[in-house]
Amino acid sequence: MTVKVLAAGDNFILPETFSKALASELGDRVDISELLLPWPDTPFGAVGEVDEASGTEEELIAALDGRDALVTQLAPVTERVLDAVPGLRFIGVSRGGPTNINVEAARARGVLVVNVPGRNGIATAEMTLGLILSAFRRIPLAHGTLLRREWRGDFYRHDHVGREVSGSTIGLVGAGAVGSHVAKVLAAMGAEVIVYDPYLPAGALKGTATVVSDVDDLFARADAVSIHARLTPETAQLVDARRIGLMHPGSILVNAARGGLVDYDAVADALESGQLGAAAFDVFPDEPVNMDERILQLARQGYDVVCTPHIAGASTQTAERAASGVARELRLALDGAQPMHPLTDAQPFVTSTARAER
């Protein structure tokens, strides 16, 4: 049974990356066509009723003509698209949060939708560790002085030197795919790791971290706090002025999860007052970030602030892992097996070729 698949990639997960993964999983059982979407060269946005999408409904409808399955990261699968391609039976979205897919509309039409949670867990964890080390050891600040042709011997002053991870107490808010990996590496580096995560299974991270039941207690004990929670109405601005005030003076705050988890104005106030010694962020409440954001202004003024443009999950391996994940799910569906990460109920998979032969 040959399945006709559209690999709708972009300039991060390339169409050919999807195609290679599909060919590896399905061999000669797959007929692949490709579509290149413009992200990240063109920012994603809302398309119809879906968010964080790239490309147009019109080009997707045209590319899906005669296709049984779609694998994509950001294609806008709206109700309009689904109505225009009634032969579509499978959607593999290569990300954890499928906001570009109208999942309910797909479910109503009997389309199997799957995703790839945790695809960028290692990349985000490694980036978080880089942010922590950059803030602890003042790496970007020191780097900037050399670019300005300055040799700053005062970085060796007792009141100017950085600190070591080894021997520090580092608190992690959330210990899922990212936080658990960060915890293991920090523990191996000699840090005392404490974790707050009300969803953590009993016994998880035993021997690696101490689990606390009160998030305020974590903020009060830690020399540095790294945020790894999901953004929900309950966790919005979890890190506010009150919790920052619980931290040791001169402590460090790191966020590579979601900008909405942190009150950035409160962080700016704490940096100016000295309550926070440093901050490192890969995410912001509004993206693309306003270049006049107070945090960026403080970085330009020489405060210990490390900022990157939401790239923690961006790695070659993330793209390959994501493509392999949706290809594997398609193979399971074709084989009549239960998908690993279904978002809708699995339906018997009948390709357009098989339907035509009936």
Side-chain angles (χ1 to χ4, degrees):
M1 179 171 63
T2 300
V3 58
K4 297 180 179 180
V5 184
L6 173 64
D10 49 58
N11 290 297
F12 172 45
I13 306 181
L14 298 168
E16 51 262 43
T17 303
F18 280 121
S19 295
K20 182 179 178 181
L22 289 164
S24 176
E25 285 286 341
L26 295 166
D28 59 6
R29 290 197 291 166
V30 65
D31 173 346
I32 307 167
S33 61
E34 296 182 348
L35 173 67
L36 177 64
L37 302 171
W39 187 82
D41 299 344
T42 300
F44 58 51
V47 177
E49 73 276 14
V50 301
D51 296 318
E52 295 187 8
S54 179
T56 67
E57 293 170 304
E58 290 79 11
E59 67 179 334
L60 183 59
I61 289 169
L64 280 171
D65 185 35
R67 300 283 104 182
D68 304 303
L70 166 68
V71 295
T72 190
Q73 177 178 225
L74 293 171
V77 183
T78 63
E79 190 167 17
R80 178 187 170 201
V81 169
L82 290 164
D83 283 340
V85 288
L88 189 66
R89 308 289 357 120
F90 174 95
I91 300 168
V93 56
S94 60
R95 55 192 297 199
T99 57
N100 56 305
I101 311 294
N102 187 329
V103 175
E104 291 306 315
R107 177 180 289 112
R109 290 158 178 78
V111 181
L112 173 61
V113 182
V114 301
N115 68 336
V116 188
R119 64 173 191 163
N120 61 0
I122 297 298
T124 304
E126 290 184 355
M127 183 71 172
T128 300
L129 292 162
L131 292 173
I132 290 171
L133 288 169
S134 293
F136 264 61
R137 299 306 303 273
R138 312 187 77 189
I139 294 171
L141 187 64
H143 171 76
T145 63
L146 288 177
L147 297 187
R148 294 192 297 273
R149 300 175 180 272
E150 300 171 5
W151 183 265
R152 292 271 300 276
D154 62 313
F155 278 126
Y156 248 101
R157 285 177 53 94
H158 186 272
D159 56 349
H160 283 191
V161 295
R163 66 179 74 187
E164 296 176 359
V165 167
S166 180
S168 295
T169 299
I170 302 181
L172 308 181
V173 180
V178 177
S180 61
H181 188 73
V182 171
K184 292 171 185 175
V185 176
L186 290 174
M189 294 178 68
E192 178 190 358
V193 182
I194 56 177
V195 169
Y196 171 79
D197 188 334
Y199 304 103
L200 197 65
L205 297 179
K206 185 176 180 180
T208 298
T210 300
V211 178
V212 300
S213 59
D214 185 345
V215 68
D216 285 357
D217 180 43
L218 180 143
F219 277 84
R221 291 172 55 184
D223 299 309
V225 174
S226 183
I227 308 302
H228 302 282
R230 289 189 178 275
L231 179 60
T232 68
E234 292 73 30
T235 61
Q237 296 209 341
L238 173 76
V239 184
D240 56 12
R242 184 185 69 80
R243 288 202 170 107
I244 293 171
L246 297 174
M247 300 175 73
H248 304 158
S251 294
I252 293 169
L253 179 66
V254 178
N255 183 18
R258 286 290 183 267
L261 294 162
V262 174
D263 182 342
Y264 279 61
D265 279 331
V267 171
D269 290 340
L271 286 164
E272 290 179 332
S273 71
Q275 174 63 20
L276 281 177
F281 299 128
D282 182 57
V283 290
F284 301 89
D286 297 305
E287 296 178 357
V289 68
N290 179 351
M291 293 301 167
D292 292 323
E293 179 84 33
R294 282 180 68 195
I295 289 295
L296 295 180
Q297 291 186 36
L298 292 178
R300 297 183 192 109
Q301 293 167 22
Y303 285 82
D304 273 317
V305 178
V306 185
C307 292
T308 52
H310 202 152
I311 58 171
S315 72
T316 302
Q317 290 89 340
T318 291
E320 293 170 350
R321 193 179 298 121
S324 295
V326 291
R328 186 180 310 113
E329 295 279 41
L330 178 55
R331 177 181 56 77
L332 290 171
L334 282 172
D335 291 345
Q338 176 65 26
M340 296 175 65
H341 302 290
L343 299 173
T344 62
D345 295 333
Q347 303 288 330
F349 200 113
V350 181
T351 67
S352 57
T353 303
R355 289 194 299 271
E357 291 173 351
R358 288 181 173 180

